[in-house]
Amino acid sequence: MIDFIIFNSPAFGSTFVFIAALFVLVGVPVAVFFPTVNAIIQSTVADAYRGRVLGALGTTMALLGLTGIGIAGTLGESVSFPSSTSKRSRTSSRASSFSRYCQARCVRG
């Protein structure tokens, strides 16, 4: 649900601070999940197999991510939603201004 709000926030004219807070809210479970999984793997898997298990976990997560993107793309093509990118909001113009500022700073050094 939070992802839906973030994705459609330009249509509602949400502020940058609100969107940043939602990203933090989405990131908190990830920050708890990965250290917990790593601790469980380290405590239950023998040293000789730990690299293989972590490699298999990483590969599985990457493949599932790609599968999810493929499914979402297929469903997105078959279901028509109104585009929220047609309206230029204050947030997107602020983000564009910030991006131009950062690019100018990098070019000047």
Side-chain angles (χ1 to χ4, degrees), residues 14-99:
S14 300
T15 64
F16 177 76
V17 174
F18 177 71
I19 295 169
L22 289 175
F23 271 107
V24 169
L25 188 62
V26 168
V28 168
V30 175
V32 172
F33 173 75
F34 283 111
T36 304
V37 168
N38 284 334
I40 291 170
I41 288 173
Q42 285 182 355
S43 64
T44 57
V45 176
D47 291 343
Y49 297 106
R50 189 174 301 145
R52 294 176 191 171
V53 170
L54 288 172
L57 176 66
T59 302
T60 303
M61 289 175 58
L63 290 174
L64 288 174
L66 288 173
T67 304
I69 290 170
I71 291 170
T74 303
L75 290 176
E77 288 293 322
S78 64
V79 178
S80 176
F81 287 106
S83 174
S84 64
T85 58
S86 61
K87 297 180 182 178
R88 183 146 181 114
S89 69
R90 291 175 296 172
T91 304
S92 63
S93 64
R94 285 183 193 151
S96 297
S97 298
F98 181 71
S99 175

